[in-house]
Amino acid sequence: MKNSKNDKIQLITHKTLIVGIDIAKKVQWAQFTDYRGLEVSKHLKFNNDLTGFKSIIQKIEEIKKNKDFSAVIVGMEPTGHYWKPLGAFLENSGIKVVLVNPAHTKKSKELDDNSQTKNDRKDALTIAKLVKDGRYSEMYLPKEEYSELRALTLTRIEVSKTQNSTKNRIRALMDEYFPEFETVFKTFIEGKAALHLLKNCPFPQDVLKLKELEIQELLKEVVKKTVGIKKIKELQNVAKTSVGITLGIEGAKVRLKVLLENYEQNVKHLELIENEMEKQLQKTGYLEVLTSIPGVGIVSASSFLGEIGNPKRFSNPQQIVRLAGYNLVENSSGLHKSKTSISKRGRKNLRSILYKMALVLVCKNKEMKTLYNYLRTREKNPLKQKQALVVIAEKAVRVMFNLMINRNNYDETKVLGEFRLKQIAA
């Protein structure tokens, strides 16, 4: 991340063998060129297994010996997850591996033959030529606790999506059979009382079979503070006038039971993941530093480090902003001046994590809230809500990066700076 384009180009000399590999699930293609982009050997087709990996190493060593190359650099697209085993194998074998943006490959492949033709051999050669021109990024596979945090972050995202989907299905089912339920228990399944009722008497017919005291006794099983008779009467009243359908009740109960079991299982999984996140975050040494920021908790701090890896590999916070796709771009020409927008080129999950973090910061962090309100209400060029949140996300990156690099805890007096404080005061 710290290398400029000039540095990348200077790494490639007349003694450097450049290998472009087109990654796929089962079969890879490799092309071999010199520093001018001239092919120095016939292409290689190899399988995505240990035998195939050894064959590419053998081919590289053979070309190095026959053509008098002293260095080698391998370029590949980060296609899905298929590139990781090969990338790790080559790196462990002492070969430098770099990554080429798939969008660059797509746009560059027509330069040689002015044809939209796409095939694995052509793509591999295009990748090699992009590496020659320094149009690549360093491969980074997080190690130790950062590797653990990335795996945990991805797992939590997947479980959270499943959990949200399950909640929506439960809500949709209740909208069919007992739509008034949520008007009484506004916390819905997040509340212990509501969840227990959904397990035992979810539909109007079930509620009306029980007396008020019976419902109250039922809820005492899970709620320490007894649910009042007034709330129970309200539930029975809406049950009497419910407009929910009465067809397929037994089948709906079975479906609801399955969904509720999935929901509770996901709750346990999230708790397990978050406990492990805290352990791994502690190992990084940044737990106290990051959580000293009001509005940044263990989950958001762990997810942030899981996405960026070791912060020491960055030379400045702007590189993290670009990694998240929050850097500003514009499309201007001549007299035409376009509006700026974020690039959205980078790690989608990191962008989402930072945006959610910004939402919490403007509520719980006094300095971030002050900056957000200023951006929204300033006289010149006031920002819309999402635009202001993007600025807060970028600010959060800069604050977290500087705190981690300097090993300092959050200091509210240094967040906004003298110039910004004067702007806000004015």
Side-chain angles (χ1 to χ4, degrees):
M1 291 297 292
K2 297 183 180 182
N3 290 346
S4 67
K5 186 178 178 181
N6 286 343
D7 294 333
K8 293 173 182 177
I9 294 174
Q10 288 173 0
L11 285 174
I12 299 168
T13 68
H14 67 284
K15 289 285 189 179
T16 305
L17 170 64
I18 303 170
V19 185
I21 300 179
D22 185 68
I23 297 292
K25 182 176 181 179
K26 294 182 179 180
V27 178
Q28 273 76 253
W29 288 78
Q31 293 275 21
F32 308 90
T33 71
D34 63 9
Y35 75 107
R36 295 169 296 176
L38 299 176
E39 295 181 55
V40 295
S41 179
K42 186 180 178 182
H43 62 267
L44 175 68
K45 179 182 178 182
F46 62 99
N47 292 328
N48 191 20
D49 55 27
L50 183 59
T51 303
F53 291 180
K54 288 182 177 179
S55 69
I56 184 70
I57 295 286
Q58 184 179 352
K59 182 74 172 178
I60 287 171
E61 293 301 325
E62 180 185 314
I63 296 172
K64 284 176 66 179
K65 182 179 180 181
N66 294 338
K67 302 291 184 178
D68 195 29
F69 289 113
S70 59
V72 61
I73 181 169
V74 175
M76 61 180 72
E77 293 176 334
T79 306
H81 52 273
Y82 303 125
W83 63 276
K84 292 181 180 179
L86 177 59
F89 182 84
L90 293 173
E91 187 180 60
N92 292 335
S93 300
I95 295 175
K96 183 177 178 61
V97 182
V98 298
L99 301 178
V100 172
N101 192 322
H104 295 171
T105 306
K106 184 177 180 181
K107 292 176 180 178
S108 303
K109 66 184 178 183
E110 295 184 30
L111 295 177
D112 291 332
D113 56 7
N114 194 31
S115 170
Q116 308 97 312
T117 300
K118 172 180 169 52
N119 58 60
D120 298 330
R121 290 170 56 186
K122 181 178 178 181
D123 285 354
L125 186 59
T126 302
I127 291 168
K129 291 182 178 180
L130 287 169
V131 172
K132 168 185 74 73
D133 294 333
R135 303 182 189 279
Y136 62 83
S137 59
E138 300 290 333
M139 185 187 77
Y140 176 70
L141 291 173
K143 295 178 174 60
E144 298 174 337
E145 57 267 20
Y146 297 103
S147 178
E148 304 293 347
L149 284 173
R150 178 164 293 186
L152 290 166
T153 299
L154 292 174
T155 306
R156 189 180 184 281
I157 290 170
E158 291 169 359
V159 175
S160 296
K161 285 181 180 178
T162 304
Q163 183 72 318
N164 289 334
S165 175
T166 303
K167 286 166 66 175
N168 290 336
R169 289 178 183 178
I170 294 171
R171 185 170 274 111
L173 182 63
M174 294 304 293
D175 285 344
E176 281 188 61
Y177 288 89
F178 196 179
E180 299 82 5
F181 182 87
E182 203 169 351
T183 64
V184 180
F185 292 94
K186 294 180 172 57
T187 55
F188 203 47
I189 53 176
E190 286 85 356
K192 291 182 180 179
L195 182 60
H196 200 58
L197 283 173
L198 288 175
K199 289 180 181 179
N200 294 278
C201 51
F203 301 143
Q205 300 89 331
D206 305 310
V207 173
L208 296 175
K209 285 179 183 177
L210 301 175
K211 296 178 181 179
E212 293 173 3
L213 290 177
E214 288 177 319
I215 296 175
Q216 194 174 47
E217 287 299 317
L218 178 67
L219 293 177
K220 281 182 180 179
E221 297 174 5
V222 293
V223 182
K224 292 181 180 179
K225 185 180 178 182
T226 307
V227 175
I229 293 294
K230 184 178 178 181
K231 175 75 78 173
I232 294 171
K233 282 183 177 180
E234 185 183 355
L235 178 66
Q236 290 187 321
N237 287 335
V238 296
K240 290 175 184 176
T241 59
S242 176
V243 296
I245 63 175
T246 57
L247 303 173
I249 291 289
E250 295 306 317
K253 284 183 180 179
V254 172
R255 183 169 182 236
L256 181 60
K257 181 181 178 182
V258 172
L259 290 171
L260 289 173
E261 287 177 357
N262 290 341
Y263 172 80
E264 291 188 303
Q265 191 65 38
N266 286 332
V267 170
K268 292 178 182 177
H269 289 163
L270 287 171
E271 185 179 354
L272 174 67
I273 293 166
E274 289 167 12
N275 287 337
E276 188 60 30
M277 275 183 159
E278 184 174 4
K279 293 178 185 177
Q280 298 300 332
L281 181 60
Q282 183 74 55
K283 290 180 182 179
T284 66
Y286 297 125
L287 188 150
E288 292 184 6
V289 171
L290 292 176
T291 55
S292 69
I293 306 171
V296 176
I298 288 170
V299 171
S300 54
S302 300
S303 301
F304 176 68
L305 284 178
E307 282 296 307
I308 70 167
N310 192 334
K312 292 180 180 178
R313 72 190 184 99
F314 300 95
S315 58
N316 60 72
Q318 184 60 27
Q319 291 176 331
I320 301 177
V321 172
R322 293 184 68 87
L323 183 66
Y326 271 140
N327 53 302
L328 297 179
V329 295
E330 64 176 72
N331 185 20
S332 301
S333 178
L335 298 177
H336 171 71
K337 186 78 172 176
S338 73
K339 293 182 179 180
T340 57
S341 61
I342 60 173
S343 70
K344 293 188 178 180
R345 297 267 182 97
R347 297 188 68 83
K348 180 182 177 181
N349 288 339
L350 176 58
R351 191 160 59 249
S352 175
I353 289 163
L354 289 173
Y355 188 80
K356 291 174 183 176
M357 190 185 291
L359 287 170
V360 177
L361 285 171
V362 297
C363 295
K364 296 187 176 182
N365 187 295
K366 184 176 67 175
E367 293 71 42
M368 295 297 186
K369 186 176 183 179
T370 300
L371 177 59
Y372 174 79
N373 290 333
Y374 163 72
L375 295 169
R376 295 276 285 127
T377 58
R378 63 189 180 187
E379 185 175 345
K380 185 178 180 181
N381 189 29
L383 300 182
K384 295 178 181 178
Q385 181 184 18
K386 288 186 177 181
Q387 291 174 321
L389 286 171
V390 168
V391 176
I392 297 299
E394 291 182 21
K395 182 68 175 177
V397 169
R398 299 179 196 285
V399 170
M400 290 188 291
F401 179 80
N402 287 318
L403 292 181
M404 288 188 292
I405 295 301
N406 298 316
R407 296 281 180 172
N408 293 330
N409 283 353
Y410 184 80
D411 185 349
E412 60 184 26
T413 62
K414 297 179 180 179
V415 176
L416 296 177
E418 186 178 347
F419 177 74
R420 183 65 84 179
L421 287 171
K422 285 182 179 179
Q423 281 187 319
I424 293 171

